[in-house]
Amino acid sequence: GAGVSQSPSNKVTEKGKDVELRCDPISGHTALYWYRQSLGQGLEFLIYFQGNSAPDKSGLPSDRFSAERTGGSVSTLTIQRTQQEDSAVYLCASKLSGAYEQYFGPGTRLTVT
Amino acid sequence: LAKTTQPISMDSYEGQEVNITCSHNNIATNDYITWYQQFPSQGPRFIIQGYKTKVTNEVASLFIPADRKSSTLSLPRVSLSDTAVYYCLVGDNTNAGKSTFGDGTTLTVKP
């Protein structure tokens, strides 16, 4: 079956512009995570959605970052007024409720010039 | 969430067994231990999960001592294609919440 997909795969933007990153989770997966991975670093948790519950936004680094999940499926991560330090790979993962295994998408590589 | 500590890097040779240890002194009663593998330019991929003692699947084994304050991922007879970053993750799935990945262990397998 289809895995987690993310778009775009690569995004180059100018400093100060807004960007939207999209994640399509595996059908039926109620939990969805966003992570950020800078070059050569580990994964940094950003935000977590579980069903209809309020998302856990505790990992968002600033108020320039926001995310939403529509209809319990597709999620969009928005970064406003991008900065060069936002350059990283943004990974999305989904999982079944009650399961531990997360399924990751291929990521979106964001470059802010 | 329990903090995890892993070696930053390890080197091995083809055909050898590799053991990567993760420390998690503050593991909670409900926490499970999960290991992921990440190749360059890809998202992490689940390898194995366990709660206590030993778990084995077709890819690896996971050894967890009685106090559960550490765990060891064992990769039998590694090949060049096992060169990757390995992450140890400790978390409680019964309470919805964030997961925390550390910096991982970069395993380099040499011919």
Side-chain angles (χ1 to χ4, degrees):
Chain A
V4 177
S5 61
Q6 293 186 243
S7 60
S9 55
N10 283 284
K11 176 71 176 180
V12 180
T13 189
E14 293 180 351
K15 177 182 173 180
K17 301 284 189 181
D18 297 352
V19 295
E20 286 190 350
L21 312 180
R22 177 187 170 105
C23 172
D24 285 83
I26 293 173
S27 177
H29 283 195
T30 57
L32 187 148
Y33 299 80
W34 281 99
Y35 297 90
R36 178 170 68 176
Q37 187 169 35
S38 300
L39 187 63
Q41 303 298 310
L43 278 71
E44 174 189 5
F45 165 80
L46 296 178
I47 189 168
Y48 166 69
F49 295 90
Q50 172 57 59
N52 295 321
S53 302
D56 179 347
K57 304 179 182 180
S58 58
L60 294 178
S62 77
D63 59 8
R64 296 187 296 104
F65 288 73
S66 63
E68 63 177 19
R69 188 177 185 192
T70 55
S73 180
V74 172
S75 178
T76 302
L77 176 69
T78 301
I79 308 173
Q80 296 179 311
R81 304 180 303 281
T82 52
Q83 303 295 312
Q84 287 187 329
E85 59 264 28
D86 298 334
S87 295
V89 175
Y90 289 81
L91 290 158
C92 172
S94 70
K95 72 179 181 75
L96 288 167
S97 176
Y100 285 83
E101 181 177 352
Q102 297 181 45
Y103 294 82
F104 283 81
T108 293
R109 181 175 298 278
L110 175 66
T111 303
V112 182
T113 61
Chain B
L1 293 171
K3 177 178 170 57
T4 60
T5 303
Q6 303 174 232
I8 294 174
S9 63
M10 294 181 68
D11 289 344
S12 183
Y13 290 93
E14 283 190 291
Q16 290 188 332
E17 178 184 80
V18 171
N19 296 309
I20 305 174
T21 296
C22 179
S23 297
H24 29 79
N25 291 321
N26 297 323
I27 189 169
T29 302
N30 293 331
D31 287 345
Y32 277 69
I33 300 153
T34 310
W35 285 81
Y36 286 81
Q37 174 191 56
Q38 185 179 29
F39 296 113
S41 301
Q42 295 184 24
R45 183 183 70 168
F46 172 87
I47 302 175
I48 197 167
Q49 180 189 76
Y51 183 81
K52 62 180 179 180
T53 62
K54 176 183 175 182
V55 179
T56 298
N57 62 22
E58 65 278 5
V59 177
S61 294
L62 179 59
F63 298 91
I64 305 168
D67 66 6
R68 304 200 326 122
K69 294 187 176 186
S70 66
S71 58
T72 299
L73 175 72
S74 181
L75 305 172
R77 299 178 299 282
V78 294
S79 63
L80 296 177
S81 62
D82 292 317
T83 293
V85 179
Y86 292 83
Y87 294 96
C88 165
L89 180 64
V90 174
D92 170 13
N93 194 61
T94 60
N95 298 319
K98 64 183 181 184
S99 302
T100 301
F101 285 73
D103 289 338
T105 298
T106 299
L107 172 65
T108 303
V109 180
K110 303 176 182 178

